């Protein structure tokens, strides 16, 4: 006889690495009729978004907003600076790095990919070497993912900037912070990042559908030298809008604006440094639990060195098929949804039932993380998956110490 769900009713918890949990304040802000898009509150509110987004991105550059998911921001960023035949370098540490590089190929760029595998961050010496070998400075841009959400590897962008400077190379540094913005510390200006893309449904806690391209003066110069840029993706009117429609090249994403306004209010009321610190302590609690579990059995974190782990997402494995079995059990029996494995299969094949991921981005706090870990402990116990003891105690100790 199959076991009936024991404790699934009640408020569910979506612990996948995007979309993330939406705060009630965001949901409530969005629950309203359509506003006038030509005058009034919405117009005033849209103008306040850009400065507050830039504070999250730590940049004094410009920000263009697009109605679209992260893939739209990938395309938008490339459309402004990459023409057919241009060369780009893509240092890749997971599925999403390949995705952005593939989008550049689709736009006719010649892409040199350096794949660092699924367990290690970028090797900066190899990047310097590749740039030094480009003596004619043909490489126009470097497409680098800050946190690759598939592998949960976080790359050190201060070190990446130094690696580019060591080669004395003028290429644009382009960052994908879709998973990391508002979770892991990111310093666009300080780290010399020229273009940064993000989306609203991860650390920014808004339903999917709006994305962002931040760009500095150097990137503007490259854009202005482009032979042509498609009207829709052009960041010039969006970055310097005089009318609301120019922000969005048409009708504004009305309800996203309300939701995003509420989310930015939450972030800035907490303070972005405090937001990073909260993600850091919760991530350490998760890793402490995983370390304890992995003393017995097959549970393993994908990234060994804590310095290379994201504070927003953790990729894990159990012996196949236990990863999938655990996910399915906690969802059915506890109302807890964990993320599927992504991009971990060799040669682009189907991911095995070993891999899964924990999303801990955005609107998460100590009791939610303890609940997620308790749910995993419960699932492993119910399924007879071997695991070490003391995981919840270890996580509690990390959070208690702050
Ligand atoms: C989620 C994600 C994307 C893709 O974003 P979509 O909104 O799904 O298009 C790209 N890069 C990274 C690092 C991500 O986490």
């Amino acid at each position: 006889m199959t076991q009936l769900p024991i404790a699934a009713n009640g408020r569910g918890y979506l612990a996948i690495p995007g979309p993330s949990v939406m705060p009630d304040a965001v949901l409530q802000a969005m629950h309203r009729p359509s506003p006038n898009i030509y005058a009034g509150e919405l117009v005033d509110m849209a103008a306040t978004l850009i400065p507050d987004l830039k504070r999250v991105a730590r940049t004094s550059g410009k920000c263009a907003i697009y109605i679209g998911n992260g893939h739209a921001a990938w395309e938008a960023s490339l459309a402004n600076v990459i023409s057919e035949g241009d060369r780009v370098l893509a240092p890749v540490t997971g599925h999403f790095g390949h995705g952005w590089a593939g989008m550049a190929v689709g736009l006719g760029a010649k892409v040199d990919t350096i794949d660092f595998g699924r367990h290690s961050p970028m090797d900066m010496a190899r990047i310097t070497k590749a740039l030094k070998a480009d003596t004619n400075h043909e490489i126009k841009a470097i497409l680098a993912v800050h946190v690759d959400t598939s592998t949960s590897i976080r790359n050190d962008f201060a070190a990446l900037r130094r690696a580019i400077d060591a080669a004395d190379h003028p290429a644009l540094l382009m960052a994908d912070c879709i998973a990391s913005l508002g979770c892991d510390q990111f310093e666009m200006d300080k780290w010399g990042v020229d273009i940064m893309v993000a989306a609203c449904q991860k650390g920014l806690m808004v339903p999917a559908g709006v994305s962002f391209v931040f760009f500095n003066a150097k990137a503007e110069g490259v854009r202005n030298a482009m032979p042509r840029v498609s009207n829709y993706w052009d960041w010039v009117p969006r970055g310097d809008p005089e009318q609301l429609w120019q922000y969005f090249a048409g009708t504004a994403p009305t309800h996203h604006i309300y939701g995003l306004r509420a989310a930015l209010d939450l972030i800035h009321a907490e303070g972005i440094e405090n937001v990073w610190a909260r993600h850091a302590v919760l991530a350490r609690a998760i890793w402490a639990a995983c370390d304890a579990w992995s003393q017995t059995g097959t549970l393993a974190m994908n990234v060994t060195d804590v310095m290379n782990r994201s504070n927003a997402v953790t990729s894990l494995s159990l012996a196949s098929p236990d990863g999938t079995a655990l996910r399915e059990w906690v969802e059915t029996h506890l109302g807890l949804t964990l993320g599927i494995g992504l991009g971990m299969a060799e040669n682009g094949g189907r991911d095995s039932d070993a891999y899964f991921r924990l999303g801990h981005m955005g609107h998460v706090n100590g009791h939610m993380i303890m609940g997620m870990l308790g749910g995993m402990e419960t699932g492993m116990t119910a399924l007879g998956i071997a695991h070490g003891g003391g995981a919840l105690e270890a996580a509690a100790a990390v959070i208690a110490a702050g």
Side-chain angles (χ1 to χ4, degrees):
M1 200 184 96
T2 50
Q3 196 185 358
L4 291 171
I6 47 174
N9 289 340
R11 177 172 275 217
Y13 178 8
L14 184 70
I16 69 175
S20 64
V21 172
M22 285 188 273
D24 290 345
V26 170
L27 291 169
Q28 282 155 11
M30 297 178 77
H31 191 82
R32 62 173 78 206
S34 281
N36 184 359
I37 59 167
Y38 298 107
E41 186 189 34
L42 189 80
V43 176
D44 301 338
M45 199 181 270
T48 69
L49 295 177
I50 303 280
D52 285 346
L53 285 163
K54 286 166 50 174
R55 280 165 70 199
V56 177
R58 312 279 265 195
T59 183
S60 61
K62 290 182 179 167
C63 172
I65 308 182
Y66 295 88
I67 303 174
N69 58 18
H71 284 69
W74 274 351
E75 176 118 5
S77 63
L78 294 167
N80 277 279
V81 293
I82 300 299
S83 308
E84 191 153 6
D86 283 346
R87 250 178 95 187
V88 306
L89 181 68
V92 171
T93 56
H95 174 80
F96 290 97
H98 286 295
W100 202 10
M103 203 154 259
V105 171
L107 290 169
K110 289 184 236 154
V111 180
D112 305 340
T113 298
I114 311 180
D115 191 339
F116 296 99
R118 300 176 188 82
H119 304 279
S120 323
M122 295 170 192
D123 171 354
M124 300 305 171
R126 273 183 72 188
I127 294 174
T128 303
K129 198 169 156 222
L131 292 172
K132 275 190 175 158
D134 177 33
T135 47
N136 295 333
H137 291 174
E138 283 174 18
I139 294 171
K140 200 173 179 189
I142 300 157
L143 308 183
V145 178
H146 184 217
V147 165
D148 201 301
T149 325
S150 60
T151 54
S152 67
I153 293 166
R154 182 180 64 198
N155 291 294
D156 179 348
F157 267 65
L160 178 55
R161 179 77 258 169
R162 287 195 297 275
I164 298 166
D165 291 348
D168 203 13
H169 198 290
L172 292 170
L173 175 54
M174 299 176 65
D176 171 347
C177 293
I178 296 172
S180 53
L181 193 71
C183 306
D184 284 280
Q185 181 180 7
F186 187 81
E187 305 277 358
M188 178 161 168
D189 289 358
K190 199 160 109 192
W191 295 345
V193 174
D194 300 302
I195 297 173
M196 187 268 275
V197 301
C200 67
Q201 78 274 24
K202 301 192 184 179
L204 298 182
M205 310 177 286
V206 176
V210 170
S211 56
F212 315 98
V213 178
F214 299 86
F215 51 98
N216 67 10
K218 179 176 170 185
E220 282 188 84
V222 174
R223 152 68 188 87
N224 293 338
M226 285 280 282
R228 62 186 159 82
V229 172
S230 78
N231 279 352
Y232 190 75
W233 296 124
D234 193 356
W235 70 34
V236 172
R238 293 171 191 259
D240 280 309
E242 281 155 26
Q243 309 269 330
L244 184 67
W245 66 267
Q246 290 179 314
Y247 282 103
F248 306 107
T251 304
T254 53
H255 286 63
H256 276 86
I257 292 176
Y258 287 116
L260 186 58
R261 184 61 268 161
L264 289 167
D265 287 344
L266 287 174
I267 289 172
H268 291 308
E270 184 175 355
I272 187 67
E273 281 100 350
N274 296 328
V275 171
W276 296 333
R278 171 167 53 83
H279 282 83
V281 72
L282 296 176
R284 281 193 285 111
I286 291 166
W287 306 335
C290 292
D291 280 337
W293 283 326
S294 63
Q295 297 304 308
T296 309
T298 61
L299 186 96
M301 276 182 280
N302 186 50
V303 184
T304 314
D305 186 341
V306 294
M307 294 302 294
N308 304 327
R309 287 182 195 156
S310 163
N311 291 333
V313 51
T314 298
S315 296
L316 296 166
S317 60
L318 284 161
S320 185
D322 286 350
T324 297
L326 178 63
R327 267 196 315 101
E328 290 177 350
W329 195 94
V330 298
E331 178 157 64
T332 308
H333 294 269
L334 307 179
L336 168 65
T337 305
L338 307 178
I340 59 165
L342 188 65
M344 295 302 294
E346 301 293 330
N347 306 319
R350 183 184 169 276
D351 281 309
S352 77
D353 290 321
Y355 299 102
F356 62 107
R357 292 175 300 159
L358 312 177
H360 33 105
M361 44 177 57
H363 195 57
V364 284
N365 60 21
H367 89 76
M368 294 164 77
I369 295 301
M370 290 306 294
M372 177 182 76
L373 297 171
M376 291 172 65
E377 173 90 30
T378 308
M380 287 191 281
T381 303
L383 293 168
I385 296 172
H387 60 280
L392 298 178
E393 290 84 346
V398 170
I399 295 176

